[in-house]
Amino acid sequence: MTANPTGNPERFEPVFCTIVPPFVLDTLAQSQDPALAGPARRTLQRDAFERTQRRLTTVIGAPSVPVPRGTAEGKPHRTVHDAEHRTDLPGRKVRGEGDAAGQDATVNRAYAGLGATFEVFLEHFGRNSIDGSGLPLNATVHYDRDYGNAFWNGEQMVFGDGDKEIFLDFTIPVDVIGHELTHGVVQYTANLTYFGQPGALNESMADVFGSLIKQYTLSQTAAEADWLIGAGLLAERVTGTALRSMKAPGTAYDDDVLGKDPQPATMDDYVRTGRDNGGVHINSGIPNHAFYLLATALGGHAWERAGQIWYAVLTGGELAVDASFTDFAKLTVAAARERYGDGEELKAVQDAWARVKVPTS
Amino acid sequence: MGAGEGAHELRVRGPDPAPGRLADSRRGRLAGLRRLEYTGPMRIQVKRTGGFGGIERHAEVDTTARPDAQEWHTLAERALATCRGTPPIGVPDGFSYEITVDGRTVYAADPGLTEDQRELITRVLKEGS
């Protein structure tokens, strides 16, 4: 018996079950004692394996089914799966490309959202699917039970039904679907590291294009759009309108349970934190707001000029995986000049970054 | 389930720890394995970060005086048996988890949880305070 009311830290020997920094693992892996070296080596191997897998997915593309023969060029190849409240991916196939809509509204929303996202990238950015080469689009819905999240796993989108207390079904807002697929586009292009400022830029790209996809489906101009991310996702009892606001970062919700929207709009309120991968969902408010300012200053459809400048930087090859906000901002200035010369676009880009206090020179 | 039955064990390979640090029952019954029994109260904390909304949640369960303490202990031990000591590289918008049992912290991230980790996390976030 080990009654252990004091929380004796020896309780969970051996060492591979504790917080072990990588350099300690390196040392342990070289130990003469196989009891120490073995687990440390396995941990290091597992970490390396996961890193390599993710890198491979980025470099050579996600393993995916080939594009079916006989399908038209410039058309999406969608498949929606149902996890049936388990966590095995991708789950049971419930709707393939061209299949008629079924009874499940979640499946139908996912299918339609994949289509809208494909359409925007093809028609307005000349991009044939996520990888630029017609990659089939796969989504899994009904992941886990009461799962209040959606994510991109490097190969496909995954949607939970929400816990119904705070979050509803994650397929409800089309910008969430666009957001997840844009993570795929980022992975195949600039591949911004998902931590700190490059991570916040990765998040912001996903929000920007997610919002553009929503605006496209509603035929809205920049002035008409709500610039909200995740509107309709919060349960009725939550005091809030959405998860993020590109128009007014920090104002999307203020709730007893959820707390207050922590997003800053400018560098004055930049949040330094180790949480949330270094605040990727927090500081994304700054580049989000810069895009909003640019798009509304230019007017018209946001995908026409503002979106083109952002897309040119994302895919132009000069944006480093570890880019800072300033790196990104400077590239948008260069892209605006290259594309539109010394016109209103250039000035609007410079003004937008100045207002969020990110230097461009 | 009685203490010491099959499901309730933490298998530890390697040399014995210093005497008195860990209780050790039925020594030698399984060659190379020692069975450890935890019957004292256990404090299980779960912190979830990241996710699409970037909203943090934490909750904890103290098994003191809980009739189902043994069940919690078993689940916690299983969840930590395949644990990792450094935060894994998550996927975009995926949840990251910190599981702390009596001051010891391990990390996990979606979608790479074991079934036991997922069950423990779900139960703590649901039933804990």
Side-chain angles (χ1 to χ4, degrees):
Chain A
M1 300 287 136
T2 309
N4 196 0
T6 58
N8 180 342
E10 296 305 325
R11 193 162 167 175
F12 278 104
E13 292 286 347
V15 290
F16 64 88
C17 280
T18 62
I19 308 170
V20 187
F23 65 88
V24 176
L25 283 175
D26 289 343
T27 309
L28 285 172
Q30 294 165 39
S31 167
Q32 298 296 316
D33 183 346
L36 296 177
R41 281 186 187 166
R42 283 193 292 278
T43 303
L44 286 168
Q45 280 164 353
R46 198 169 54 221
D47 285 4
F49 175 78
E50 287 187 16
R51 268 197 298 275
T52 306
Q53 281 298 105
R54 287 178 54 70
R55 181 72 191 137
L56 276 177
T57 301
T58 305
V59 175
I60 64 176
S64 58
V65 291
V67 174
R69 269 179 300 175
T71 38
E73 188 72 12
K75 295 283 179 196
H77 310 289
R78 292 165 285 185
T79 309
V80 181
H81 299 85
D82 186 343
E84 296 171 317
H85 306 293
R86 292 191 292 268
T87 55
D88 303 319
L89 293 174
R92 185 171 63 91
K93 178 181 168 181
V94 287
R95 189 170 176 190
E97 187 61 47
D99 292 351
Q103 294 296 310
D104 188 336
T106 303
V107 171
N108 297 336
R109 276 193 299 265
Y111 185 85
L114 292 171
T117 304
F118 180 90
E119 221 172 286
V120 170
F121 275 111
L122 184 68
E123 289 185 14
H124 295 289
F125 300 97
R127 185 173 194 84
N128 183 12
S129 192
I130 283 179
D131 64 342
S133 304
L135 185 78
L137 302 176
N138 294 315
T140 295
V141 299
H142 303 311
Y143 181 78
D144 206 353
R145 290 195 180 278
D146 302 325
Y147 189 75
N149 201 21
F151 60 88
W152 168 259
N153 82 342
E155 298 175 18
Q156 65 158 98
M157 310 159 69
V158 181
F159 296 97
D161 293 335
D163 53 18
K164 313 290 190 299
E165 292 289 312
I166 294 172
F167 291 120
L168 305 176
D169 188 323
F170 273 70
T171 61
I172 291 172
V174 70
D175 46 280
V176 172
I177 298 175
H179 176 109
E180 296 309 328
L181 281 176
T182 305
H183 276 308
V185 174
V186 173
Q187 179 183 310
Y188 279 97
T189 55
N191 194 27
L192 292 155
T193 306
Y194 203 64
F195 192 89
Q197 285 198 14
L201 284 169
N202 192 327
E203 267 305 309
S204 180
M205 287 292 180
D207 278 353
V208 163
F209 287 95
S211 182
L212 291 184
I213 286 150
K214 178 180 175 181
Q215 292 170 36
Y216 170 81
T217 61
L218 298 172
S219 303
Q220 289 176 329
T221 63
E224 291 162 348
D226 62 15
W227 296 96
L228 295 171
I229 301 297
L233 187 58
L234 298 175
E236 206 172 321
R237 52 163 285 195
V238 178
T239 313
T241 51
L243 276 175
R244 292 185 279 279
S245 168
M246 300 175 67
K247 182 176 184 172
T251 66
Y253 58 87
D254 189 354
D255 180 74
D256 293 346
V257 179
L258 277 187
K260 187 184 172 301
D261 175 0
Q263 283 214 314
T266 78
M267 289 303 286
D268 288 344
D269 299 313
Y270 184 87
V271 178
R272 288 178 198 286
T273 177
R275 294 166 174 181
D276 181 31
N277 286 307
V280 295
H281 294 91
I282 300 173
N283 292 314
S284 55
I286 296 166
N288 274 1
H289 193 54
F291 184 83
Y292 160 81
L293 291 171
L294 171 65
T296 46
L298 294 177
H301 292 130
W303 56 83
E304 283 166 359
R305 287 182 288 171
Q308 296 303 320
I309 294 167
W310 251 236
Y311 184 77
V313 175
L314 176 64
T315 57
E318 287 182 65
L319 186 62
V321 293
D322 60 348
S324 66
F325 288 178
T326 305
D327 295 336
F328 179 76
K330 285 177 177 168
L331 288 170
T332 61
V333 170
R337 184 178 281 121
E338 189 182 0
R339 205 173 183 94
Y340 302 106
D342 273 334
E344 63 164 339
E345 295 85 358
L346 178 65
K347 187 174 178 308
V349 170
Q350 289 166 329
D351 285 352
W353 289 114
R355 283 179 64 185
V356 301
K357 311 267 181 87
V358 173
T360 52
S361 58
Chain B
M1 180 193 306
E5 282 183 16
H8 175 233
E9 63 181 18
L10 176 64
R11 292 178 176 185
V12 181
R13 293 173 194 279
D16 280 2
R21 270 167 53 184
L22 292 166
D24 189 351
S25 75
R26 302 179 200 183
R27 186 186 298 267
R29 241 181 81 177
L30 294 165
L33 295 173
R34 284 174 291 107
R35 178 168 298 179
L36 309 171
E37 295 178 9
Y38 302 132
T39 54
M42 190 182 260
R43 190 173 173 222
I44 307 165
Q45 298 160 285
V46 169
K47 184 165 124 183
R48 192 186 76 190
T49 63
F52 187 89
I55 295 162
E56 266 184 45
R57 275 202 64 192
H58 27 124
E60 70 172 79
V61 166
D62 189 329
T63 64
T64 310
R66 281 192 82 118
D68 57 352
Q70 194 57 59
E71 204 182 305
W72 281 101
H73 296 186
T74 303
L75 181 60
E77 286 158 13
R78 283 177 171 177
L80 268 65
T82 47
C83 64
R84 40 184 302 148
T86 49
I89 301 160
V91 300
D93 296 320
F95 284 133
S96 297
Y97 305 95
E98 274 180 48
I99 308 168
T100 304
V101 178
D102 288 345
R104 290 256 154 161
T105 302
V106 299
Y107 299 91
D110 276 339
L113 301 183
T114 66
E115 282 306 307
D116 293 319
Q117 288 169 342
R118 191 172 299 284
E119 188 185 340
L120 180 69
I121 288 165
T122 304
R123 287 191 61 185
V124 171
L125 290 180
K126 200 169 186 177
E127 300 175 40
S129 53

